Amino acid sequence: MAMNVEMPLHKARELMAQYRQTMPINLPLQEIDMEPPEPPNVLVDAVSLGGPLDARMKPLVRHVLVKDLNKVGTRMKLEHPKTGIFGNKAPMGLYALFDGQSCAGDAGPQAAEFCARNFHTKLLERLSKLPAAQADEAAVENALRGTFEDIDREILQNFTDIMDGCGAAVALLIGDHLFTALLGRCSAVLGEMEQTG
């Protein structure tokens, strides 16, 4: 049974006065840092050997150098967590080589071109779905692995006209963490420059 208790407004204000200072509406707002993270400070180059002898044919190898993956994600409205490995405005970069001649099947440019055009967006989609509480190295490794599976599945199901395959060498840099993945007969060389006075 509900009971209706009437109280004058001034009396209610007196009773609530002690709680007024601790109410969230009266607390100062936290400053939100809207500045985007800096892109990674890396020097990247790509070289591939081989390819078609006819200059009119598409190249078999595609390079993807995304120096600021944060900016691409923001433009695509795919925001990743800001905690864990992504904390402290971690710079993000993606550097990849998709090689249509280092696959198990027939060599060709189509799969490599599809991967070069779509890999970064599939990866950003996976990273944006990471829960903030699980934004760690294992989650990023799973997202990277899952991106390859997504690309493979999409080609097999939706693009049956792509008859070739491709290998891949991918490096994903997030803050101080470097994730690499190699598929097929691709390879990559990583080096670190020492800063001397």
Side-chain angles (χ1 to χ4, degrees), residues 49-96:
L49 302 174
L53 298 176
D54 186 357
R56 293 175 295 193
M57 291 181 65
K58 287 186 175 182
L60 298 176
V61 179
R62 295 290 190 193
H63 303 99
V64 177
L65 307 175
V66 182
K67 295 182 179 181
D68 193 351
L69 200 57
N70 283 313
K71 186 183 285 186
V72 174
T74 301
R75 287 185 178 163
M76 294 178 65
K77 296 184 177 26
L78 294 170
E79 294 292 324
H80 55 77
K82 304 295 185 214
T83 59
I85 195 170
F86 300 100
N88 297 324
K89 294 172 124 182
M92 291 174 46
L94 176 69
Y95 316 99

Side-chain angles (χ1 to χ4, degrees), residues 16-28:
M16 290 301 296
Q18 61 184 339
Y19 302 106
R20 190 173 307 276
Q21 295 302 321
T22 58
M23 293 181 75
I25 197 167
N26 294 323
L27 294 176

